[in-house]
Each structure stands twice: as structure tokens, then as C-alpha cells.
Amino acid sequence: MTYICCLKLNDMKKILFFFLLVFAMNAASAQSPCNFTKLQSGNTVTASYSWILPTIYSLDSVYVDFGDGTLIKQYMPVPTSATHTYTAPGNYYLCLTRYLSLIGSTTAVVCTYCDSVFIPSSSSCFVNSGFTASASGLNVNFNNTTSCSICTTISHSWNFGDGSPLSNAVSPSHTYSTAGTYNVCLISTGVNPNGVSCSDTTCTSVTVNSSSGQPCIANAAFNSSVVGMNASFTNSSTCTSCSSTSYAWNFGDGSPIGTAFAPTHTYAASGVYNVCLTVIGVDTNGNTCIDSVCNTLAITAIPGCNLTALYNNTNAGLNVNFTNATSCTGCISWTSNWNFGDGSPNSTLTSPSHTYAAAGNYNVCLYVNGIASGGLTCSDTLCKNVVVILSGMNDIQEIHLEVYPNPVNDQLQIKMPENAQAISLDVMDMTGRKVIQIQPVMDRSSQVILDMSVLNAGWYWLRLQTDRGIFGTRVLRSRE
């Protein structure tokens, strides 16, 4: 800040005062700049400030202009910050103007400091992933060059292309087990001040060579675990300086050679088998290295079991006795679980009895579970339809009562027994519930006509009481 002064040379006191004033004003600007710290969170920006002033100055006021028409004026005592929330995205200039006063004078020292503010839209997020790689033998150092001008946070995920675990480091180092060319990918994910995320992916081929430059060295090794007839193999082989590695498994039972890294195999019979693994490696110069290892493997079949569920039942009215005829080959024990089909609790008795609340058709299921001596389990289920009829329903006579047609759709013709006088006619469903009760009237041909169309399809009992006794038969109401 520069000032131009015109004074009379013979006024020495004024000259001295003016030079002191100019010196002090320049010192105030030089020693105490009016800069501030900007903190942005989404669309909200805070300018924070605190200055150490020469003792000959006092702070009068601070004006903060946020560039969108918002001006905050602060007077003594002046706060140490000003906060504003922008309502629209865009680029703004945030300017702070500080006003100082020289103690004992009306002269003001003015200083202005500005900084830019970018308010992104809610969907703005621009991340640009990138990296460089520097290889030394099998070791590679990665330098992350990802950029995102408005991101508040950036996270990274590295895939080194060799099946190793992903890395979340910013600029990781990675050591490959074998020489070769690998496709390395970096996924960078950024989050803008409004919480909107964006991501970018960069993939580059990285070539590594054997650090020793010597031919490859293969070392075959494996372990195994056996459960019954199944064997699982764990491959712990290594191949130093190999650019490619292949595997050949001979399971010792004449089955085809396996080429998986860590296979499983099911044997057909018990026995002791000689299992061999051959590892074949190739280095970057085309040299081949081979190593083999063989281990014996004992396979012992675990005894199994074969269960067949079977039961019979005898009925006495609503009570049903169940006889369990289940058989199990190879079982050391087996259990039963009965579902009587009427919503009642299951029974675990071997041969239970059950009393039903009403007559009807019930789907009764027997579930059996067996255990063999080796611990293997087996199970079977048998479900059958059990018909429960009220006591006395079977006592209805079915002779001397002719009906037709049977099955019937609507009109049923009932031929009266010879020389019998009808008293009542009852129709009952299979549970014994009366669904029709009429006073039968015979026509000229000694027949009674019964309308069955009002009944649902199914079996019904006809009970005809006459002066000569009770007669009955079953009738099937057919579907229309």
C-alpha cells in the first residue's frame, strides 16, 4: 500500500508524524496479513480468522463477502469466523476485508483477502483413477495418481491380477510368486461434499521377471483329509521363478488324471491308495522344472443304513390303532414320528393309538429316522389315507333297498321294500352328520324321489325307516 504526501519542509513535527504513520500502516499490512482459513462441508462454507496485530492498532470491523450477494458485517468485538450456506452450485469468490484503526488517530488501514469457492451440484463427482508401476524382480511398487478436484474422500481397491487378496492401500507394494504378465486394476471411489459417490477404474498390464534370473524350481507338496469315501487335497506346492505352473494328480485308483490346484476325489471302494502330485513349471525363458511327491491314502467305507417305513391300522369307531412295521437294514437304532392328519400333536411312540374327534378321511404320515454304526443316517416317510367312520354306521343294512341311478347327479329314485310303509328317510355324510331328513312320499310305482342336487359331491348314507325295519345303502353324489 503506497501513500503520496505533500508537506512544508519547515514543519518538522508533521513530517516526522507522517513518516511514522506511513511506516506503521505498511508494518500493519506486512506483519499482519488479513488471510483466513476456509472450511467447506457440502454447500456450507466457514471462513475462520484470528490475527496478531501491532499494539498501536485496534481491530474495528470485518466484512465477509461470500460472492453470491451475501455480505456479513462484523463489528467490535469481532467474532473469529463467519459461516454461510450457498443455495446454488457454481464458482464463487469469498473475500474478507479487515479495517484497522491507528490508536489515537482516525486513519484506517484496510486489507482484503480472497479465496475461491466451488459449490458442486448434488450429482457432480469427477474422479479420475490412475497409477504407475515400478517392478524390481518379482516386487512391484505402485504409485497412485488418482485425482478428484471436489471429492472430500477417496478410497481405493487394488486387484493385482494374481488371485491374491485385494488391497485398500493408497500406493501399495506387491510381491508376485511367479514371473509373468499380470493385469492390475485400480478402482477409485470418491465422495463429493453432498455425499454423492463416483468411481473410475484403470487397468494396466504389469510384467515381472524372476529376481534371480535362474531357471525355475518346482517343489511339490500336499496334504489330504478323508471322510468316508471322499478325499480332499490341499496343495502346498511352490514354484520359484515360474511364469506358469500346472498340476497333475494321480489318485491311484485308475481314474483320470486331475489337473485342479486342490481337487476332491470320491473312491469307489475301500483300500490303500498311492496318490501322486506332479508340479510342472515354466520360467520366462521357456525353461521347464518338474517335481513330484506321492503319499499313501487309506479309504475306509462308512457303514450306511437303508430304512423302509411301513404301518398298518385297525379302526374301532373314532379310535385307530397303528402298528409300525418299519424295517431298517444296517441301523443300530431308529425312531418314529407320527402325524395323524387332524392337527393334533405328533407322537413319537413306535405303534401308537389315536382317537379322532370326528369321522372323516385323514392323511396319516409316519416319519422314521435311522442311524448306522458309522454315524450315517437314513430316513423314510409313508403317508396313507385313513378312513374313520362313526360306530354304528356299518350296521345300516344295505339289502332290500334299491336306488338308481348311482352315482346320481340330481334326482335319486328309491324303490321301497315290498309291502313296507315308509316312516322317515335320513341322508348322512361320511362323518355321520344328517344332511337331509324328510317324510318320504311314494308315487304310484312304490318309489320315493329324493333331490340330491343340493348336496356336495361325495359319498352319503341313506337310512330308510319303515314299519318293517330299517334299510340303508351308500350313494355317490357325482360332480356336475
Side-chain angles (χ1 to χ4, degrees):
M1 186 174 298
T2 303
Y3 298 88
I4 302 175
C5 305
C6 297
L7 299 173
K8 293 181 181 181
L9 295 178
N10 57 355
D11 195 345
M12 295 303 298
K13 290 183 179 181
K14 291 183 178 180
I15 293 174
L16 178 59
F17 175 78
F18 215 88
F19 275 112
L20 288 175
L21 176 61
V22 172
F23 174 77
M25 294 171 65
N26 289 332
S29 297
Q31 296 179 11
S32 181
C34 53
N35 59 317
F36 58 84
T37 301
K38 180 186 69 176
L39 178 63
Q40 182 172 349
S41 177
N43 292 354
T44 300
V45 177
T46 299
S48 300
Y49 34 84
S50 178
W51 309 287
I52 299 176
L53 301 175
T55 56
I56 62 174
Y57 287 96
S58 64
L59 178 60
D60 284 347
S61 60
V62 172
Y63 288 8
V64 183
D65 186 350
F66 287 93
D68 63 345
T70 301
L71 176 63
I72 297 178
K73 298 180 180 181
Q74 299 173 336
Y75 300 97
M76 286 296 293
V78 176
T80 59
S81 65
T83 301
H84 175 61
T85 299
Y86 291 87
T87 60
N91 292 295
Y92 301 92
Y93 282 102
L94 169 59
C95 293
L96 180 147
T97 302
R98 183 187 66 188
Y99 295 88
L100 301 179
S101 292
L102 180 65
I103 297 175
S105 171
T106 58
T107 303
V109 178
V110 182
C111 176
T112 300
Y113 180 83
C114 296
D115 197 359
S116 61
V117 175
F118 173 65
I119 302 298
S121 65
S122 60
S123 61
S124 297
C125 185
F126 309 100
V127 65
N128 184 21
S129 66
F131 66 90
T132 60
S134 176
S136 177
L138 296 177
N139 186 70
V140 181
N141 294 318
F142 296 94
N143 179 38
N144 195 330
T145 60
T146 298
S147 62
C148 184
S149 59
I150 64 170
C151 290
T152 56
T153 61
I154 304 178
S155 59
H156 308 280
S157 177
W158 294 84
N159 186 327
F160 300 112
D162 59 349
S164 61
L166 302 181
S167 172
N168 296 321
V170 177
S171 295
S173 295
H174 183 68
T175 300
Y176 291 88
S177 60
T178 58
T181 299
Y182 300 89
N183 187 41
V184 180
C185 292
L186 167 62
I187 301 176
S188 298
T189 302
V191 180
N192 75 3
N194 290 314
V196 176
S197 63
C198 53
S199 62
D200 189 34
T201 302
T202 298
C203 295
T204 302
S205 295
V206 175
T207 300
V208 294
N209 297 311
S210 171
S211 58
S212 63
Q214 299 298 320
C216 63
I217 302 174
N219 182 24
F222 72 90
N223 296 312
S224 60
S225 60
V226 177
V227 178
M229 307 298 288
N230 299 312
S232 299
F233 300 94
T234 301
N235 193 336
S236 55
S237 303
T238 59
C239 194
T240 305
S241 302
C242 293
S243 60
S244 65
T245 309
S246 59
Y247 307 93
W249 295 85
N250 187 329
F251 300 109
D253 60 349
S255 61
I257 299 297
T259 58
F261 176 77
T264 59
H265 184 68
T266 300
Y267 287 86
S270 300
V272 177
Y273 298 91
N274 190 40
V275 180
C276 295
L277 167 63
T278 300
V279 178
I280 304 172
V282 179
D283 63 20
T284 55
N285 297 319
N287 299 312
T288 301
C289 49
I290 301 175
D291 190 37
S292 297
V293 63
C294 296
N295 296 327
T296 57
L297 189 67
I299 300 295
T300 303
I302 297 178
C305 57
N306 185 17
L307 194 62
T308 302
L310 182 64
Y311 73 86
N312 299 308
N313 62 280
T314 56
N315 299 14
L318 296 177
N319 187 69
V320 181
N321 296 315
F322 296 95
T323 302
N324 197 329
T326 297
S327 62
C328 185
T329 303
C331 288
I332 59 174
S333 65
W334 56 273
T335 59
S336 303
N337 194 317
W338 294 83
N339 185 324
F340 299 112
D342 60 349
S344 61
N346 285 15
S347 173
T348 56
L349 296 176
T350 302
S351 297
S353 295
H354 184 68
T355 301
Y356 289 89
N361 295 327
Y362 297 92
N363 187 39
V364 179
C365 293
L366 169 60
Y367 307 93
V368 286
N369 294 282
I371 301 177
S373 59
L376 294 179
T377 61
C378 52
S379 62
D380 193 25
T381 301
L382 175 63
C383 295
K384 295 195 301 184
N385 186 48
V386 175
V387 179
V388 177
I389 302 174
L390 284 173
S391 178
M393 293 286 288
N394 291 327
D395 296 334
I396 299 178
Q397 298 183 35
E398 298 186 7
I399 58 175
H400 306 304
L401 186 61
E402 298 181 12
V403 297
Y404 60 90
N406 191 8
V408 61
N409 185 31
D410 44 25
Q411 300 296 318
L412 179 68
Q413 299 183 37
I414 304 172
K415 185 177 181 180
M416 293 293 297
E418 186 177 357
N419 299 322
Q421 181 66 38
I423 300 175
S424 65
L425 176 63
D426 298 331
V427 180
M428 295 171 286
D429 62 17
M430 296 302 293
T431 67
R433 181 175 61 91
K434 290 183 180 180
V435 293
I436 295 177
Q437 185 176 26
I438 63 172
Q439 178 70 40
V441 177
M442 291 186 298
D443 59 14
R444 294 180 179 178
S445 58
S446 298
Q447 291 183 343
V448 175
I449 305 301
L450 178 64
D451 185 8
M452 298 284 287
S453 64
V454 296
L455 301 178
N456 294 327
W459 284 99
Y460 295 89
W461 290 93
L462 265 62
R463 183 177 183 273
L464 177 65
Q465 184 172 357
T466 71
D467 59 352
R468 294 185 58 192
I470 298 175
F471 300 87
T473 189
R474 286 182 294 181
V475 177
L476 176 61
R477 165 74 163 87
S478 61
R479 297 180 183 273
E480 297 180 3

